[in-house]
Amino acid sequence: MLLQSLVRQADSRQDDTPEYYLARRVMWQIDLSGTGMGSIEPLVIDLRQEERKITAPYTGRSGSKPAPILFADTAQFTLAHPGLSKGPDGEKILSIDSTDTAKARARHAAYRDLVTSWCDDHPHLLQAQAVSAWLKNQLPTEWPLEMEKDHLIAISVDGEWIHDLPEAKSWWADTVKKAKSGKAGKANHGLCLVCGQVMPLLSTLPVPIKGIPNSGMNTQLVCLNQPAHFRAGSKQLGATPICVDCGTKSATALNTLLADPAHRAFADDSAIVWWTRDPDTDTAIWTLRDPQPEEVAQLIAGVRHPRRGRDALAVLDENAFYALTLRVNTNRVIVADWITIPIPELKQRLGTWFADQGTWDGWNNANTYWPIWRLALACARWDKRKNKYVDTTVPKHLQADLIKAALHGVAPPAHLLPVLLQRIRADHHLDRPRIALLRLALIRTTTRHKELCVPQLNPQSTEPGYVCGRIMAMLEAIQRKAMPKVNTTITDKYLSTAVVSPRAVLTRLRIGARPHLRTIARASEPAARAMDNRLRDTFDLLDTIPAHLSAEQQALFVLGYDHQRAHSARAAAQAIQAREAGQELVAGQQADALPEAAVVSDNTLW
């Protein structure tokens, strides 16, 4: 199914690269004269500073006698470069080791044979005549000092790449197909599992996979080269029959997707690629990386109001969406996840994803949504000195796991919630991305407390963890009202303990709030009375303050704390608007109004 989808993708792309060609970084160019027939010395051009890639011939190769590549190979193959070694003073000098020299000459001889064979098949081309004249010269004995044996070299005539000729493309494709089809005879024909036709079969896939993090030079999509891997005693593709065309198209299509930023994303050591059956369809998956409010609102509307969101979900039913998560292990591709779903269902799942992780910004009265990478980063350790997350501490594979949860519509990994709670308790840092991740984990891992897993405050809830979080936010607001310039709040000091054991902390802090209320009363008696009444009413929601909270209740504690702060921020914004309009503030508004010295920062919750 996977290979069939990749083959269809290769057939549907108009900008597909030639068979057995790949975007490669050419570091040196050897330009031959098309009219001098080799009488003029070739021009060697250094392209290392340009760092550009060109589409050039390529195929996978391995072993002690790797095959050469037409017109685009390393300096060892193209010019018999023996390599560099360390000199007496530690500098790099040309190797004089007989083994290195013999290997370079043997590989250069194979390269000369390949190129000469192409020239003999195309004697009428001026480019072939120029290359033949150049190859008749003696074996190269001098190389630029900056050149190394692994540097890629391509050949041109009068500034035009020879490998771009139609004759070079077709000849190279035929050569690779013959080499990769195994031994001649009946063994290399059979029923292809991909297309279902009796075709010439591959012994190995001719095109390695490029672009996956940590991938090597010859990473294979299908590779069975050890006895433990063999199936029915057949190694390589003997028990997985794939024809030449399907094997080439599937690997080439995957490489094209991996090279296209519009169809791939990297997450730690994983690469995620996606495409649709109709190549012109906008999959909207990019909103997982950079969600825009308009697109997110449209997706959510399609989930909450199917009729109103009909336009958002209006796509041909026969269209389909494909996504593939890949990793590498010892030059073998690991398919970590594979999904194929209709486009309307994809948009439904994306809409649900954003609805489940949205947070309410009370100060600006707007919902906010976060990209995948930002949610994963929120699970890292917070560095207070640098005021940022330490990206190297993000749990392994978390970003890829979150993408899987979004596309499959399932819960995030089970370890997410306890790890996130541990981070919050340890570094006392709470921002909206962490709240979004916490809310997402709660909604998708529990069927209880759905009424609390909403973006805004639920003042009627009597769930102990949620109410304790609200009380913590109210006590902090009282402290800030009384001490506008406080550097370390009660949340900074006691959050890690209050989340786990709220009874001891909240009882002590309620006693400590009394002098703060007296301070507030000296400036505004109605404000102090309003804040005290709110705090008392919230305490009354509890039969008793719980001594300890479970992991789920700890998450609800943080959620209640966030909802109360967001609610207070909205009330403060409305009080400011009323004061600026010249209106006299009532007791509740006086309690909500921020002190003049209070600073609102967007780096934390409010």
Side-chain angles (χ1 to χ4, degrees), residues 417-418 421-422 425 438 442 446 448-449 463-466 468 496-502 546-559:
L417 187 58
L421 288 172
Q422 188 276 331
R425 293 195 304 267
L438 188 72
L442 274 175
T446 180
R448 298 180 297 171
H449 312 302
E463 204 289 323
Y466 187 82
C468 288
S496 59
T497 305
V499 168
V500 179
S501 304
H548 301 284
L549 297 179
S550 64
E552 183 178 306
Q553 289 176 323
Q554 292 175 34
L556 291 172
F557 180 104
V558 177
L559 202 60

Side-chain angles (χ1 to χ4, degrees), residues 565-600:
R565 291 196 70 181
H567 180 78
S568 300
R570 184 57 191 159
Q574 291 173 341
I576 291 174
Q577 293 173 358
R579 186 163 52 194
E580 292 175 348
Q583 301 175 7
E584 184 177 352
L585 302 184
V586 299
Q589 290 178 318
Q590 292 180 28
D592 295 328
L594 291 176
E596 296 295 333
V599 178
V600 178

